[in-house]
C-alpha cells in the first residue's frame, strides 16, 4: 500500500486510530487517561495512565519517488502504588496489554502496511519516592508514500 496524500493527514489518521484503540479497548479498561504528547504533572495525572510520546525516525527513500515512513511512538504506562513490587509489575503488565491491543490488527484498519514492535522497557520508579512506576513499549507504524516528482 502506497499513500499519496499529505503527510500530516496520513500521520493524523494513524495517531487518531491508535489513540481510539487505546481508549476503547476492553483490555485497557482500567486505564483512567490516555495522554498524547502533552506535558502533564505526573503527581496530578490520574493513574493508571498511558502517555503516548512521538519518537524520532528517519524516512527511507526507496527510489522512484517513494519514501518509507516508520512513524514511531513510545507508549509509557504510569501506575501509582504504595507497594513498589505491585506498581512495577502492574506497569509492565499494561505494556504487554498495549502490545496485544495494537498487534491484533497489524495494518491498523488499512492505514499502515505493518506495525512493528521495537522496544520494551521494564518497569522503573519515576524519580525518588514518588510512588509512580512506569514501563515503556515502542512501536513503529510503517507505510510508504509516493512523493511528487
Amino acid at each position: 500500500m502506497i499513500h499519496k496524500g499529505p503527510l500530516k493527514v496520513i500521520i493524523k489518521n494513524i495517531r487518531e486510530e491508535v489513540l481510539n484503540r487505546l481508549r476503547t479497548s476492553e483490555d485497557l479498561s482500567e486505564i483512567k487517561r490516555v495522554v498524547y504528547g502533552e506535558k502533564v504533572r505526573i503527581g496530578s495525572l490520574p493513574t493508571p495512565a498511558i502517555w503516548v510520546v512521538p519518537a524520532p525516525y528517519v524516512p527511507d527513500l526507496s527510489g522512484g519517488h517513494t519514501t518509507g515512513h516508520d512513524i514511531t511512538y513510545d507508549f509509557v504506562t504510569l501506575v501509582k502504588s504504595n507497594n513498589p513490587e505491585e506498581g512495577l509489575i502492574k506497569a509492565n503488565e499494561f505494556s504487554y496489554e498495549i502490545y496485544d491491543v495494537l498487534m491484533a490488527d497489524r495494518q491498523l484498519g488499512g492505514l499502515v502496511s505493518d506495525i512493528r514492535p521495537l522496544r520494551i522497557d521494564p518497569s522503573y520508579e519515576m524519580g525518588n519516592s514518588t510512588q509512580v512506576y512506569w514501563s515503556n513499549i515502542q512501536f513503529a507504524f510503517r507505510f510508504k508514500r509516493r512523493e511528487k516528482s
Side-chain angles (χ1 to χ4, degrees):
M1 148 196 354
I2 298 178
H3 291 277
K4 296 180 182 176
L7 189 59
K8 71 178 185 178
V9 172
I10 297 166
I11 292 172
K12 176 185 176 201
N13 291 339
I14 292 168
R15 179 182 64 242
E16 288 178 355
E17 182 60 26
V18 167
L19 294 173
N20 181 56
R21 289 179 188 219
L22 296 176
R23 289 177 177 139
T24 61
S25 170
E26 289 183 22
D27 293 334
L28 296 170
S29 62
E30 285 183 69
I31 299 297
K32 294 182 180 170
R33 183 152 177 220
V34 176
V35 178
Y36 176 80
E38 61 190 71
K39 292 183 180 181
V40 175
R41 288 186 181 267
I42 299 302
S44 65
L45 183 65
T47 66
I50 301 171
W51 196 346
V52 182
V53 182
Y57 78 97
V58 177
D60 178 33
L61 292 170
S62 57
H65 304 293
T66 302
T67 303
H69 294 269
D70 282 352
I71 305 301
T72 307
Y73 295 105
D74 286 293
F75 298 85
V76 182
T77 57
L78 302 164
V79 174
K80 288 182 187 174
S81 177
N82 292 326
N83 181 316
E85 183 176 354
E86 288 176 12
L88 291 169
I89 289 170
K90 194 65 177 170
N92 209 27
E93 287 174 349
F94 280 127
S95 286
Y96 296 130
E97 288 173 356
I98 291 168
Y99 182 98
D100 288 341
V101 166
L102 293 177
M103 293 298 283
D105 174 7
R106 291 191 56 176
Q107 292 186 333
L108 204 60
L111 293 174
V112 298
S113 59
D114 195 16
I115 297 175
R116 299 188 55 197
L118 299 178
R119 178 183 169 130
I120 299 174
D121 275 333
S123 301
Y124 301 96
E125 182 174 9
M126 185 163 282
N128 293 326
S129 303
T130 61
Q131 298 177 332
V132 175
Y133 304 91
W134 66 275
S135 181
N136 180 55
I137 188 163
Q138 186 179 65
F139 288 93
F141 298 84
R142 177 171 278 187
F143 66 90
K144 291 188 178 196
R145 184 176 89 132
R146 182 86 172 150
E147 306 297 346
K148 295 180 181 177
S149 353

